[in-house]
């Protein structure tokens, strides 16, 4: 983007739009076509050459993550320091990200076929006995869904930014897509065998529609946030809400231990033994992390107080400056906290030294339950006996105890999301007016938000319908008020409310933007919160 776009954004964006309309239609779709065609070639190569010497789906996913982040950085760079080369690099990095993201999922599909074929051969059957698509389509767990969710967000962004004036949306949405892939990385890409009752061609239809709808909802959320910024919503108000969100994340991670009176400043992580994937009922204290989160929360509380003081006395510029200073300090502390957490989990050797013995009595009861000992016998043991059981077990297995980044992927991703939210607020606070001028007009952003919300609404409707049919095939009922079913229904109804309020009552602008943000939060809760917080038939994904 040139300097004219900064000085006269309406004129510049209009000129670009006219040029885009005069250009051949295929040219604006070329990045999308290139990404899809490249992914098809990648799948063909994987099938032709086999998986033994071919790049893995996990490696492709990590490169896609990097490409999304690189694209976001180039688009941000272009808006703060405009030059055409950065915009072009951002476009092609985004295209590469979508290509690699889809390729990762397709390569995983091919690997799932190879795995299934080896199982069939080991059972004395042949490739002729293999199901065509149903069993091994990679939509079996949250890792698969996250890959497809990231692709949905990436490909929606790629289609939206056919219009050059929408490329600032990509800076925000591709960062969020990268966070989704970070979550996938922490979940781990192990294949999961679903119960035979779930083998149905409705599974890929249902989960595929879900992932693409979630991706559209993510881009709609990005457009809503940018609309609020364009509409003049004070960055300080955004800072208050993101700070409250971050503090809520700090308060809930590590099983609420960071702010609890009995464990204040303590951050604990699940432990594992040997090659077992299941975590133990023992948690290790990770030094410094809890106190860093406490410090970040204190800085954010200070920033909230400073911004509140500024709103009560608008002429008080000092409190506004103090608030932004505290928020930037909190951003640095958050980055250090996440870095310290990841480093220590990956490098900690003597795990036993960081396990509090106050857990031993409860851990002994858990051990005995795992061994099939009846609860009636366990409660007859006294505290000393339970403590001795745990002490002996820990001593015997000390060398095999270790930590893992995959222990709680949602928790770590929540910390990264809180950091990303703070980062964008700090970024918005730099040359805010210049950024507002560079954004498309409010009407254009509002129109984009409306179109994306409409697509998300239709997608979630299909999700509910295909899910109901699949549920009837698998469990003999169309609807059972399962936690994930209910969450999806609430998200769909929220988008219905968005459309109804707009069509029937003429709601536009900020009220619609708030509706879109709330709807996306319900989508995220359905995607993650239900799977990890609420028991139900969908807990596997």
């Amino acid at each position: 983007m040139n300097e004219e776009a900064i000085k006269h954004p309406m004129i510049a964006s209009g000129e670009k739009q006219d040029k885009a309309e005069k250009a051949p239609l295929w040219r604006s779709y070329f990045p999308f076509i290139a990404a899809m065609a490249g992914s098809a070639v990648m799948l063909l190569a994987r099938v032709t050459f086999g998986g033994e010497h071919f790049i893995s789906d996990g490696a492709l996913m990590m490169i896609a993550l990097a490409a999304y982040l690189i694209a976001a950085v180039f688009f941000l760079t272009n808006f703060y320091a405009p030059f055409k080369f950065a915009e072009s690099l951002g476009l092609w990095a985004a295209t590469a990200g979508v290509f690699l993201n889809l390729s990762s999922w397709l390569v995983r599909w091919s690997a799932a076929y190879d795995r299934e074929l080896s199982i069939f051969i080991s059972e004395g059957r042949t490739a002729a006995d293999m199901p065509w698509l149903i069993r091994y389509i990679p939509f079996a767990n949250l890792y698969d869904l996250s890959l497809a969710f990231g692709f949905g967000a990436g490909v929606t962004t790629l289609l939206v930014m056919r219009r050059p004036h929408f490329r600032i949306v990509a800076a925000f949405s591709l960062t969020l897509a990268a966070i989704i892939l970070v979550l996938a990385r922490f979940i781990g890409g192990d294949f999961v065998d679903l119960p035979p009752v779930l083998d149905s061609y409705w599974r890929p239809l249902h989960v595929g529609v879900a992932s693409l709808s979630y991706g559209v909802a993510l881009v709609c959320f990005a457009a809503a946030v940018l609309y609020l910024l364009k509409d003049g919503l004070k960055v300080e108000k955004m800072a208050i809400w993101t700070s409250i969100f971050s503090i809520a994340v700090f308060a809930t991670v590590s099983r609420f231990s960071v702010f609890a009176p009995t464990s204040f400043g303590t951050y604990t992580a699940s432990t594992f033994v040997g090659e077992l994937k299941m975590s133990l009922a023992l948690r290790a204290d990770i030094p410094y992390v809890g106190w860093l989160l406490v410090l970040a929360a204190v800085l954010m509380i200070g920033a909230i107080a400073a911004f509140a003081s500024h709103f009560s006395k608008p002429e008080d510029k000092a409190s506004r400056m103090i608030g932004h200073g505290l928020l930037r300090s909190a951003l640095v502390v958050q980055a250090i906290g996440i870095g310290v957490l990841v480093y220590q989990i990956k490098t900690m050797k003597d795990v036993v030294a960081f396990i509090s013995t106050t857990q031993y009595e409860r851990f002994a009861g858990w051990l005995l339950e795992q061994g099939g000992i009846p609860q009636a016998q366990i409660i007859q043991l006294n505290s000393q006996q339970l403590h001795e059981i745990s002490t002996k077990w820990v001593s015997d297995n000390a060398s095999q105890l270790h930590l893992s980044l995959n222990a709680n992927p949602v928790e770590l991703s929540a910390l990264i999301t809180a950091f990303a939210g703070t980062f964008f607020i700090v970024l918005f606070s730099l040359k805010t007016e210049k950024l507002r001028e560079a954004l498309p007009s409010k009407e254009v952003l509002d129109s984009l938000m409306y179109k994306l919300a409409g697509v998300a609404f239709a997608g979630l409707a299909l999700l509910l319908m295909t899910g109901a049919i699949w549920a009837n095939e698998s469990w003999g009922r169309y609807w059972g008020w399962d936690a994930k079913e209910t969450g999806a229904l609430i998200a769909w109804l929220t988008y219905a409310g968005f459309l109804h309020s707009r069509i029937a009552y003429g709601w536009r602008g900020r009220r619609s933007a708030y509706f879109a943000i709330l709807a996306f939060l319900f989508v995220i809760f359905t995607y993650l919160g239900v799977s990890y917080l609420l028991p139900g038939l969908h807990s596997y994904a």
Side-chain angles (χ1 to χ4, degrees):
M1 180 175 289
N2 53 32
E3 294 181 1
E4 189 66 12
I6 300 297
K7 294 177 182 177
H8 305 289
M10 289 294 292
I11 296 174
S13 63
E15 289 174 353
K16 285 187 175 183
Q17 191 167 355
D18 291 341
K19 290 179 181 178
E21 290 172 354
K22 292 177 182 177
L25 184 63
W26 68 266
R27 185 173 298 175
S28 65
Y29 282 102
F30 182 75
F32 169 77
I33 296 169
M36 298 302 103
S39 300
V41 171
M42 181 71 78
L43 175 62
L44 181 61
R46 171 62 175 77
V47 172
T48 302
F49 299 111
E52 186 176 352
H53 302 292
F54 204 83
I55 188 169
S56 68
D57 62 280
L60 286 169
M61 184 268 289
M62 292 300 294
I63 303 172
L65 191 162
Y68 283 153
L69 288 177
I70 290 169
V73 169
F74 277 125
F75 285 129
L76 283 173
T77 300
N78 183 61
F79 270 84
Y80 281 95
F83 65 107
K84 188 66 177 177
F85 188 57
E87 187 177 12
S88 298
L89 287 176
L91 176 60
W92 288 111
T95 303
V98 173
F99 152 66
L100 292 163
N101 195 164
L102 180 56
S103 295
S104 174
W105 188 83
L106 292 174
V107 167
R108 182 171 176 81
W109 189 356
S110 181
Y113 172 83
D114 292 345
R115 174 177 177 270
E116 190 74 15
L117 180 60
S118 67
I119 293 174
F120 269 59
I121 292 174
S122 68
E123 295 173 349
R125 292 184 283 180
T126 66
D129 300 317
M130 287 281 288
W132 176 50
L133 287 174
I134 299 169
R135 185 187 298 270
Y136 51 88
I137 289 181
F139 277 138
N141 59 10
L142 199 60
Y143 176 86
D144 300 331
L145 176 58
S146 298
L147 274 185
F149 186 178
F151 166 72
V155 75
T156 303
T157 302
L158 203 60
L159 291 171
V160 164
M161 55 190 230
R162 292 190 307 110
R163 307 284 186 177
H165 54 290
F166 281 143
R167 287 177 185 171
I168 185 60
V169 177
F172 195 20
S173 62
L174 291 180
T175 302
L176 296 176
I179 292 175
I180 298 298
L181 295 186
V182 167
L183 172 66
R185 163 63 182 83
F186 293 144
I187 291 171
D190 293 340
F191 286 104
V192 174
D193 292 316
L194 288 177
V197 70
L198 296 179
D199 273 343
S200 167
Y201 55 84
W202 288 104
R203 173 170 61 90
L205 290 173
H206 171 69
V207 184
V209 167
S211 56
L212 293 176
S213 300
Y214 290 175
V216 173
L218 183 149
V219 182
C220 181
F221 168 78
V225 171
L226 293 177
Y227 176 88
L228 292 175
L229 184 65
K230 180 69 176 183
D231 195 42
L233 182 67
K234 289 184 178 297
V235 175
E236 292 75 20
K237 288 186 178 179
M238 291 184 175
I240 289 175
W241 286 109
T242 55
S243 296
I244 291 172
F245 167 76
S246 297
I247 293 170
V249 169
F250 302 158
T252 54
V253 296
S254 183
R255 298 185 179 180
F256 301 89
S257 70
V258 176
F259 295 149
T262 56
S263 58
F264 191 79
T266 301
Y267 183 96
T268 62
S270 299
T271 58
F272 296 79
V273 61
E275 299 299 321
L276 292 178
K277 300 295 183 182
M278 182 179 68
S279 61
L280 304 173
L282 278 178
R283 295 181 69 86
D285 298 341
I286 310 298
Y288 314 118
V289 175
W291 288 109
L292 286 168
L293 295 181
V294 169
L295 176 57
V298 169
L299 291 169
M300 287 179 173
I301 292 170
I304 292 171
F307 291 142
S309 174
H310 171 66
F311 292 139
S312 63
K313 298 179 181 178
E315 69 279 1
D316 182 9
K317 304 298 183 183
S319 59
R320 178 177 176 275
M321 293 178 62
I322 291 171
H324 282 295
L326 291 172
L327 196 65
R328 289 166 190 168
S329 300
L331 179 68
V332 174
V333 173
Q334 282 179 273
I336 295 172
I338 294 171
V340 169
L341 173 61
V342 172
Y343 175 77
Q344 291 192 106
I345 287 180
K346 290 181 71 69
T347 61
M348 186 178 287
K349 301 297 183 184
D350 186 13
V351 176
V352 176
F354 298 94
I355 297 176
S356 172
T357 56
T358 58
Q359 306 173 69
Y360 277 15
E361 186 175 338
R362 177 175 52 81
F363 177 61
W366 180 84
L367 271 179
L368 294 172
E369 285 181 0
Q370 298 301 308
I373 306 299
Q375 187 66 30
Q377 294 183 27
I378 297 174
I379 61 177
Q380 293 177 2
L381 300 175
N382 58 42
S383 298
Q384 183 178 352
Q385 291 173 314
L386 292 171
H387 197 278
E388 288 175 354
I389 291 172
S390 291
T391 301
K392 184 177 186 307
W393 189 94
V394 170
S395 176
D396 292 343
N397 294 276
S399 61
Q400 297 187 67
L401 291 177
H402 61 92
L403 305 177
S404 173
L405 288 172
N406 299 335
N408 194 332
V410 173
E411 186 172 291
L412 192 50
S413 296
L415 290 171
I416 294 173
T417 303
F419 169 79
T422 308
F423 170 77
F424 272 104
I425 295 302
V426 170
L427 195 65
F428 292 162
S429 69
L430 303 175
K431 300 181 180 179
T432 306
E433 292 307 318
K434 183 177 180 179
L435 178 60
R436 282 185 176 135
E437 291 177 2
L439 287 171
S441 69
K442 291 190 297 182
E443 293 75 17
V444 169
L445 284 171
D446 183 67
S447 176
L448 175 64
M449 184 170 57
Y450 172 56
K451 292 172 182 175
L452 291 171
V455 175
F457 169 78
L460 291 175
L462 283 173
L463 178 152
L464 291 170
M465 288 187 286
T466 54
I469 297 171
W470 181 26
N472 186 59
E473 278 197 3
S474 299
W475 301 314
R477 50 83 173 160
Y478 289 100
W479 191 266
W481 295 105
D482 181 68
K484 202 146 194 167
E485 293 173 352
T486 306
L489 176 63
I490 293 172
W492 177 71
L493 288 174
T494 308
Y495 280 108
F498 173 100
L499 297 174
H500 175 71
S501 63
R502 187 181 184 97
I503 295 169
Y505 300 106
W507 282 20
R508 279 173 169 74
R510 285 197 186 188
R511 288 189 286 190
S512 289
Y514 291 139
F515 238 130
I517 290 171
L518 179 63
F520 181 67
L521 293 178
F522 282 127
V523 166
I524 290 298
F525 181 74
T526 305
Y527 160 61
L528 284 182
V530 171
S531 298
Y532 280 87
L533 300 177
L534 301 176
L537 293 169
H538 290 79
S539 295
Y540 64 92

